[in-house]
Amino acid sequence: LDNSPMRLTFLGTAAADAFPEAFCSCDNCARARGLGGPSLRRRSAALIDDDLLIDLGPDIHTACHAFGLSLAQVRDCIQTHPHSDHLDAAHLLSRSAEYGTRGTPLMGFHASAQTLQRLAWAVARDFEPGSILDPENAQRLNVRFNTVAPHTPFAAGRYRVTGFPANHDPAMGSLLYAVEADGQALFYGTDTAALAEEVWQGFRRLGLTFDAVVLDHTYGPTQEGEGHLCAREVSEYVVRMRAEGLLRPGGRVFATHIAHEGNPPHPELSAWAAAHGYEAAYDGLVV
């Protein structure tokens, strides 16, 4: 077994409209532009080691350019949901041999049935032969599609992955994911509002504890959550996770999916998070 630490790279840490929002002149956006660096956020996606992608998001190319990364070794992608800030269907076309891409391995694409149906609709606009759900077309795209059922572990390469229902547009089958490998475990929890009790019960039933937890942080310290988590809820979850033993010794909690409306630029948000027991992730952060 490879007992080296699981490596998590944040490719993007913003909510749907990025941060700063390109069309916005609010104080948070203006200050983020001036500060640059960690205050500039792409839309959320993440990479585990170099072979497991979380969300086939619209900004993954620019993130790889900025941070000197390659996705050529990605063998699996776990998709949270099909909203456009998390899923750019064109990436399935661009990584195929028919678009000139060479050397990419077959990729397992794991998502809810609803997400796969929405993805099939999106790809059909640009992919002449028809549905990606046709095995022949999936082969042409160099992809193997896997339907994920909540609370049911599945294999994604060397990783054991379990999906949990997100409290976010349930018609789209939105999922949160626990990822385990070599005795280590990560929970990636965005997009979601308040976690349902069945998620907490699922952690206990499956005996899950985590080295790292990543949580939705769309709304800031002075806001209430609505369809997404806010800073106050994240801080409360940190307390609950530690109290229930869900965080292992030295376990860390990170905020992602950070929106410009109520979250200040990174230095201020980082200080607020540190005072409340967690950390504000930023684009390019490697854990």
Side-chain angles (χ1 to χ4, degrees):
L1 291 177
D2 178 5
N3 291 315
S4 60
M6 188 187 297
R7 185 177 69 255
L8 170 67
T9 303
F10 289 90
L11 301 177
T13 56
D17 42 4
F19 190 169
E21 212 281 2
F23 297 95
C24 184
S25 60
C26 75
D27 181 63
N28 288 337
C29 286
R31 289 193 293 137
R33 288 189 190 98
L35 287 167
S39 293
L40 305 180
R41 302 181 182 277
R42 298 164 183 81
R43 288 164 289 188
S44 295
L47 180 66
I48 297 178
D49 296 327
D50 61 358
D51 55 357
L52 178 61
L53 182 65
I54 305 178
D55 281 347
L56 200 67
D59 296 335
I60 57 176
H61 280 310
T62 60
C64 288
H65 298 163
F67 307 128
L69 299 172
S70 169
L71 301 180
Q73 301 306 311
V74 168
R75 296 181 178 275
D76 291 275
C77 175
I78 51 177
Q79 188 69 37
T80 58
H81 63 302
H83 288 170
S84 60
D85 57 316
H86 290 261
L87 177 59
D88 185 344
H91 292 322
L92 289 182
L93 304 176
S94 68
R95 68 180 299 279
S96 71
E98 294 183 22
Y99 278 64
T101 303
R102 297 291 179 265
T104 54
L106 176 70
M107 184 178 76
F109 188 92
H110 312 272
S112 67
Q114 298 95 320
T115 293
L116 291 177
Q117 289 291 340
R118 181 59 66 95
L119 175 62
W121 171 83
V123 173
R125 296 173 302 181
D126 303 313
F127 189 54
E128 184 177 329
S131 175
I132 61 170
L133 302 181
D134 181 322
E136 183 176 339
N137 291 331
Q139 183 177 12
R140 289 180 63 183
L141 289 172
N142 199 25
V143 178
R144 174 180 57 84
F145 294 99
N146 175 47
T147 303
V148 176
H151 304 290
T152 304
F154 62 92
R158 70 186 187 92
Y159 305 95
R160 182 179 188 262
V161 182
T162 308
F164 295 90
N167 185 5
H168 181 74
D169 198 354
M172 291 294 99
S174 301
L175 293 171
L176 316 172
Y177 289 104
V179 181
E180 303 169 84
D182 304 326
Q184 302 158 48
L186 161 75
F187 178 65
Y188 191 84
T190 192
D191 293 18
T192 189
L195 296 179
E197 282 303 313
E198 71 171 285
V199 174
W200 298 95
Q201 293 168 9
F203 293 159
R204 292 189 289 270
R205 185 175 62 255
L206 294 170
L208 289 169
T209 59
F210 303 105
D211 300 285
V213 170
V214 181
L215 290 174
D216 187 300
H217 199 290
T218 300
Y219 298 111
T222 63
Q223 296 177 298
E224 293 298 316
E226 183 180 351
H228 292 273
L229 292 175
C230 66
R232 174 187 56 79
E233 290 170 312
V234 171
S235 64
E236 291 173 353
Y237 284 176
V238 172
V239 172
R240 178 172 178 178
M241 287 180 169
R242 294 200 187 281
E244 296 188 9
L246 292 171
L247 280 174
R248 297 175 181 177
R252 301 164 70 184
V253 178
F254 297 89
T256 193
H257 204 271
I258 296 164
H260 71 99
E261 296 99 323
N263 289 289
H266 182 74
E268 293 175 39
L269 182 60
S270 181
W272 196 95
H276 292 81
Y278 64 98
E279 302 172 56
Y282 55 87
D283 294 17
L285 173 63
V286 179
V287 180

